[in-house]
Amino acid sequence: VIELTKLTFDCLNDNNDKVVGNAIRTSGHISLLMFQHYNLQQQDTSSTKEEWDGCKFYLELMNVLSFKVTTAVTEATGKGENQHTWKQRSIIRKHGWGSCASLGLLLHCRIVVEQQEMLLQAVKDAILSLVLCLHHVDTVNDKVVLAAASALSSIPSPIWTCISSGSSGIVGSALTSCISGLFAASSPQQQQEQQKKKNKLQRLHEELYKLLKQLLKIVTIYDVCCVLKEDTITKSMLEYLYDWMIMESQQHSSFSSNDDHLDASAFEVFALALQRKDIADALEDRENNIDLQQKFASRALERYRREQESHHIVIATTPSTTTNEEASIAAIRLEDNDKSDDEEEYDEL
């Protein structure tokens, strides 16, 4: 298996474009076998150990595939060299398409979690290259965008958790692309376009909704702030997102499984982010944004109460290191259940 993996990697630099395309597709499947189902630490052949460095190979493969995806986006947006012929551009597009699919398989491998310190940056770069495809959904080829969306939506939760730590902004960037793409699809012009490409667009929207739901389960205030500071994000988009979150939470209101519903924290982070001064300054219509902030805050309160009633739990107080905004939400969570005046609750928030 190791030898076959090495040969596949060597073919990525072949002079024949068809060989490269086949190697790209093969690399994802064989690497999934290599790094997911084959335990490198249990190899007994000493000669193989001396020649094989699984982490190094995985790192190089991720970088090569990420580069091909980025190249496809650069070519599609017209920011690359304009000297390519039609045939060359077609090859770049096909290689980008295949690389998106292979990255989706590579990001399933357990080696990402086991060796995250060494591989984390390469994984982040790979995910950013896939997000870049969504960011340019209007110019990048439909097949490339769909493959990128499918790869992102299928990334396991532990890997999203790994890359979301710190201030990388990756989750915020992915969330921005999801919101923008889905909102644009709801416009009358896009509705007409959907009739022409019904199957492709329907699949793309399904993958984007899956990705959006996954991101909202791990999103932080920092990620939301990154979204709200984007010039492309409008109040109409945020209202579209809010309405979708309401609909999604109503469809899965039993709280029986964390995998099937959006919990209160998804609404809470937006409420907290919208009341920050730097965000208020970045957004144009302050009065309307206050109204939107209250919507998210009210829904967060309602969800927390329903979760408490469902699980019969008492939410612990927040650590002393929390911000004033976070403490305000925590105070409302712990508020006496006898309090019924919504206006007073809004004031405390």
Side-chain angles (χ1 to χ4, degrees), residues 259-327:
D259 293 333
D260 293 332
H261 77 282
L262 294 176
D263 59 24
S265 62
F267 295 92
E268 177 184 353
V269 290
F270 277 90
L272 294 175
L274 282 165
Q275 71 181 16
R276 294 194 173 212
K277 187 178 183 303
D278 57 332
I279 296 302
D281 293 340
L283 298 173
E284 295 180 0
D285 196 340
R286 173 60 175 163
E287 198 65 33
N288 286 339
N289 290 328
I290 292 177
D291 177 66
L292 189 59
Q293 184 268 337
Q294 289 180 344
K295 285 183 179 180
F296 279 104
S298 176
R299 184 59 56 170
L301 290 171
E302 186 266 342
R303 297 292 290 178
Y304 273 122
R305 286 174 176 168
R306 292 182 63 185
E307 289 173 6
Q308 286 178 318
E309 292 173 359
S310 176
H311 297 297
H312 303 287
I313 60 174
V314 177
I315 300 180
T317 57
T318 55
S320 58
T321 55
T322 56
T323 64
N324 291 334
E325 294 91 342
E326 292 166 336

Side-chain angles (χ1 to χ4, degrees), residues 4-13 23 27 57 60-61 64:
L4 184 57
T5 305
K6 287 181 178 180
L7 289 173
T8 302
F9 182 79
D10 292 339
C11 288
L12 291 173
N13 298 317
S27 64
F57 175 84
E60 293 176 351
L61 182 57
V64 170

Side-chain angles (χ1 to χ4, degrees), residues 100-250:
C100 287
S102 292
L103 283 175
L105 295 174
L106 278 167
L107 290 170
H108 274 79
C109 298
R110 68 184 184 195
I111 192 175
V112 177
V113 177
E114 294 174 352
Q115 305 291 338
Q116 59 178 283
E117 291 185 4
M118 181 180 296
L119 303 176
L120 187 58
Q121 188 55 53
V123 171
K124 288 181 177 180
D125 291 341
I127 292 178
L128 280 175
S129 69
L130 295 172
V131 171
L132 191 63
C133 295
L134 302 185
H135 188 66
H136 296 284
V137 64
D138 294 331
T139 53
V140 177
N141 181 267
D142 293 340
K143 292 181 179 179
V144 177
V145 174
L146 178 58
S150 179
L152 288 168
S153 65
S154 63
I155 295 176
S157 297
I159 295 179
W160 276 116
T161 303
C162 287
I163 67 164
S164 64
S165 59
S167 302
S168 64
I170 295 178
V171 173
S173 181
L175 190 57
T176 300
S177 298
C178 276
I179 297 172
S180 301
L182 290 171
F183 178 77
S186 64
S187 65
Q189 182 179 359
Q190 285 295 319
Q191 294 290 343
Q192 294 178 359
E193 190 69 19
Q194 287 184 26
Q195 299 301 322
K196 302 177 184 178
K197 306 178 181 179
K198 186 174 181 180
N199 292 334
K200 288 183 181 178
L201 287 176
Q202 183 177 355
R203 287 184 57 197
L204 175 59
H205 297 160
E206 289 174 356
E207 297 297 343
L208 288 179
Y209 280 125
K210 283 170 57 179
L211 176 59
L212 178 59
K213 188 174 180 180
Q214 193 170 15
L215 293 175
L216 288 174
K217 293 178 181 179
I218 62 169
V219 70
T220 64
I221 298 177
Y222 175 83
D223 297 322
V224 175
C225 287
C226 291
V227 173
L228 298 178
K229 287 181 179 180
E230 286 287 338
D231 295 336
T232 56
I233 296 297
T234 64
K235 180 176 180 288
S236 298
M237 291 182 182
L238 295 176
E239 289 179 335
Y240 174 85
L241 173 66
Y242 175 79
D243 291 340
W244 177 83
M245 291 171 67
I246 294 296
M247 181 180 65
E248 185 67 23
S249 61
Q250 289 175 345

Side-chain angles (χ1 to χ4, degrees), residues 17 22-23 53 91 101 127 135 154 235 255 262 338:
D17 294 321
N22 290 331
D53 185 343
I91 291 171
I127 292 178
H135 188 66
S154 63
K235 180 176 180 288
F255 300 104
L262 294 176
D338 293 334

